[in-house]
């Protein structure tokens, strides 16, 4: 066993926060900083958390940065098309070789997620004041640990089916909305050796990443997508060594 902390990079496009007074009031330091703070609060010494944003050189997603990241979280919306194809390719390759990825909310339509899924990842949506209830449909799953059976988000944008994704390897949460819609809101995928969790809460005009149960889900997901064997796999040089 090792006590090496999980190195987490929280990526946020950081655009709404600069364009909307309402969003800035909820996330004065940017959504990425609130998400990062929640992870630090939940996982303490178990993590080292940094952030990266769209406006940085190579969006903060250089080969070096990704090589030093065990788990990447991704929130994007307005800036999907501004993310360079080179950066998407780099992140994609790191995921295939074992970097964990958590895609949040409108990240479903990012170039990265669509490339990993191979589908449009489109969905039904309505920006209104719906009450969302996130139901555990896999209570034994590590990502559901310590999460209420029915996690209520009092006000949220509606995301509904059909959500054009491949069948998830594991489904952890399904949401229902006051409009009657349902949505697969917590989905696990594996691509290469990389573990991916999609979690839909997080519309920018509601204080969702301040909500303790949501922070808990993200923290659980970090532990689930983290693959400590990634380092070791890369360090195996000689196949003959396997049989010694
Ligand atoms: Zn949204």
């Amino acid at each position: 066993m090792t006590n090496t902390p999980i190195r987490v990079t929280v990526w946020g496009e950081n655009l709404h926060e600069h364009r909307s007074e309402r969003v800035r009031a909820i996330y004065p330091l940017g959504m990425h900083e609130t998400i990062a703070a929640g992870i630090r609060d939940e996982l303490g010494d178990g993590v080292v958390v940094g952030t990266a944003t769209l406006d940085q050189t190579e969006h903060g997603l250089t080969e070096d940065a990704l090589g030093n990241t065990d788990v990447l979280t991704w929130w994007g919306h307005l800036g999907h098309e501004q993310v360079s194809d080179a950066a998407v390719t780099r992140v994609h390759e790191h995921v295939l070789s074992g970097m964990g990825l958590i895609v949040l909310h409108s990240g479903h339509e990012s170039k990265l997620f669509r490339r990993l899924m191979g589908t449009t990842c489109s969905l039904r949506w309505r920006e209104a004041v719906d009450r969302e209830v996130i139901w555990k449909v896999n209570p034994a799953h590590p990502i559901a640990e310590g999460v209420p059976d029915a996690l209520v988000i009092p006000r949220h944008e509606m995301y509904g089916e059909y959500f054009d994704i491949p069948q998830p390897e594991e489904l952890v949460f399904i949401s229902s909305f006051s409009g009657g819609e349902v949505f697969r809101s917590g989905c696990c995928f594996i691509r290469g050796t990389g573990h991916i969790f999609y979690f839909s809460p997080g519309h920018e005009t509601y204080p969702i990443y301040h909500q303790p149960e949501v922070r808990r889900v993200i923290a659980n997901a970090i532990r689930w997508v983290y693959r400590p064997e990634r380092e070791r796999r890369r360090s195996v040089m000689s196949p003959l060594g396997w049989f010694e």
Side-chain angles (χ1 to χ4, degrees):
M1 279 299 286
T2 169
N3 293 318
T4 311
I6 303 172
R7 300 166 299 174
V8 179
T9 301
V10 175
W11 192 86
E13 63 171 32
N14 196 28
L15 294 176
H16 287 281
E17 297 91 324
H18 293 278
R19 296 180 188 186
S20 158
E21 205 47 72
R22 185 175 170 192
V23 177
R24 193 159 48 240
I26 301 168
Y27 298 110
L29 301 175
M31 297 173 78
H32 52 289
E33 289 296 346
T34 299
I35 293 167
I39 295 166
R40 290 188 195 104
D41 285 351
E42 285 284 332
L43 297 175
D45 294 344
V47 281
V48 175
V49 186
T51 61
T53 51
L54 182 67
D55 62 340
Q56 293 174 338
T57 308
E58 298 183 52
H59 319 310
L61 302 168
T62 59
E63 188 55 45
D64 207 36
L66 293 169
N68 288 304
T69 297
D70 298 315
V71 175
L72 180 71
T73 75
W74 189 279
W75 196 102
H77 180 226
L78 293 173
H80 288 330
E81 293 309 313
Q82 295 175 45
V83 177
S84 75
D85 291 337
V88 172
T89 297
R90 267 199 306 277
V91 176
H92 184 216
E93 285 170 358
H94 277 270
V95 172
L96 296 181
S97 69
M99 183 180 74
L101 177 69
I102 298 172
V103 176
L104 297 166
H105 189 59
S106 40
H108 72 89
E109 229 160 26
S110 61
K111 288 182 189 176
L112 173 65
F113 191 60
R114 285 187 287 130
R115 185 181 297 187
L116 284 160
M117 296 297 108
T119 54
T120 68
C121 301
S122 63
L123 46 76
R124 188 184 301 272
W125 60 276
R126 173 179 61 247
E127 194 171 347
V129 188
D130 273 86
R131 183 211 58 196
E132 177 175 0
V133 184
I134 301 169
W135 299 93
K136 275 195 219 182
V137 294
N138 191 344
H141 197 283
I143 296 178
E145 196 183 317
V147 178
D149 292 343
L151 194 176
V152 178
I153 296 186
R155 295 186 306 284
H156 201 212
E157 177 182 27
M158 186 280 290
Y159 272 12
E161 299 286 343
Y162 176 61
F163 183 19
D164 183 23
I165 49 171
Q167 291 299 317
E169 273 86 352
E170 295 178 298
L171 186 59
V172 186
F173 303 112
I174 291 178
S175 288
S176 61
F177 291 84
S178 35
E181 298 86 356
V182 294
F183 186 68
R184 290 168 289 170
S185 50
C187 305
C188 300
F189 304 93
I190 298 172
R191 294 291 182 274
T193 54
H195 286 50
I196 302 163
F197 184 62
Y198 174 75
F199 189 48
S200 64
H203 187 65
E204 66 277 1
T205 56
Y206 301 116
I208 287 166
Y209 297 121
H210 292 280
Q211 197 169 329
E213 306 94 318
V214 170
R215 290 176 160 208
R216 180 65 188 259
V217 172
I218 294 170
N220 287 348
I222 284 168
R223 285 193 291 221
W224 184 77
V225 301
Y226 173 54
R227 296 291 118 183
E229 66 271 26
R230 176 183 173 206
E231 266 340 294
R232 291 204 294 277
R233 184 173 293 107
R234 286 186 159 186
S235 68
V236 171
M237 297 303 289
S238 164
L240 289 175
W242 295 348
F243 303 106
E244 281 171 359

